[in-house]
């Protein structure tokens, strides 16, 4: 959701939010977040959303299923620095049979966008021998838990 003509982007109404402090482990020599660390932060946001809002913690899900990222679009808008706290938001833009397109946005304390983009997650079933995976439709319980985050 790019900004147009200087208008501030408005977040969707229903989204999952977590805060994260920028630590030494996140930064590069310039003192700003090294871009792969942002992707780790995004993955942590997805994992927290599944556990806290959808009641599907990864440590249980990954016994038989998974939710891999199959597409990712990221725009780095401004740097995040050591000691800052960023607020991470996640919402669902499209809920499909076995996948969902999610939007995300990270903001600093001044509500300036640091990072934004889209991630496509696919619900998969892992074979008993763990040698193959295949997409699997979300069941009705899961769909009903995801629905409130759909925009």
């Amino acid at each position: 959701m790019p900004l147009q003509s200087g208008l501030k982007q408005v977040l969707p109404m229903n989204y999952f939010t977590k805060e994260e402090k920028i630590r030494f482990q996140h930064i590069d020599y310039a003192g700003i977040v090294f871009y792969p660390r942002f992707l780790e932060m995004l993955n942590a946001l997805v994992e927290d959303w599944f556990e806290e809002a959808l009641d599907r913690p990864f440590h249980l899900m990954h016994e038989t299923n998974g939710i891999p990222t199959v597409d990712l679009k990221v725009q780095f808008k401004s740097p995040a620095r050591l000691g800052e706290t960023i607020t991470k938001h996640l919402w669902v833009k499209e809920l499909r049979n076995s996948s969902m397109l999610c939007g995300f946005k990270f903001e600093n304390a001044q509500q300036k966008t640091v990072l934004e983009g889209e991630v496509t997650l696919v619900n998969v079933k892992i074979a008993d021998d763990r040698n193959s995976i295949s997409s699997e439709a979300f069941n009705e319980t899961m769909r009903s838990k995801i629905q409130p985050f759909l925009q």
Side-chain angles (χ1 to χ4, degrees):
M1 294 192 283
L3 299 178
Q4 297 177 6
S5 352
L7 296 175
K8 181 176 171 79
Q9 176 186 349
V10 177
L11 282 169
M13 292 181 66
N14 299 320
Y15 51 87
F16 180 74
T17 300
K18 292 290 281 196
E19 289 188 347
E20 184 154 352
K21 184 176 181 177
I22 304 303
R23 301 180 183 280
F24 183 73
Q25 70 189 33
H26 299 129
I27 63 167
D28 61 15
Y29 187 69
I32 60 175
V33 173
F34 182 44
Y35 73 93
R37 301 293 89 80
F38 277 127
L39 302 182
E40 292 171 349
M41 291 177 198
L42 173 60
N43 190 72
L45 179 62
V46 169
E47 189 170 343
D48 289 343
W49 178 53
F50 267 79
E51 182 167 352
E52 297 171 22
L54 305 180
D55 194 31
R56 193 176 181 202
F58 275 27
H59 72 277
L60 296 177
M61 178 194 347
H62 284 144
E63 292 174 0
T64 58
N65 292 82
I67 193 84
T69 296
V70 298
D71 191 37
L72 179 62
K73 294 174 180 67
V74 180
Q75 291 186 333
F76 301 95
K77 298 292 191 173
S78 62
R81 292 178 166 71
L82 181 61
E84 292 181 337
T85 298
I86 58 172
T87 304
K88 307 180 295 184
H89 306 284
L90 179 79
W91 61 93
V92 179
K93 297 175 86 171
E94 202 175 315
L95 178 57
R96 303 169 187 142
N97 185 47
S98 60
S99 67
M100 62 181 134
L101 174 64
C102 298
F104 61 89
K105 180 177 178 180
F106 294 8
E107 296 176 314
N108 64 19
Q110 294 74 40
Q111 296 185 320
K112 184 174 182 178
T113 301
V114 172
L115 177 85
E116 65 184 356
E118 296 178 337
V119 59
T120 300
L121 305 170
V122 176
N123 189 52
V124 297
K125 174 78 173 154
I126 302 170
D128 291 339
D129 63 7
R130 310 222 27 110
N131 287 327
S132 65
I133 61 173
S134 58
S135 64
E136 180 176 75
F138 290 111
N139 64 35
E140 285 308 311
T141 301
M142 217 34 217
R143 293 182 79 75
S144 69
K145 290 178 180 180
I146 294 168
Q147 195 70 36
F149 298 95
L150 183 61
Q151 304 306 312

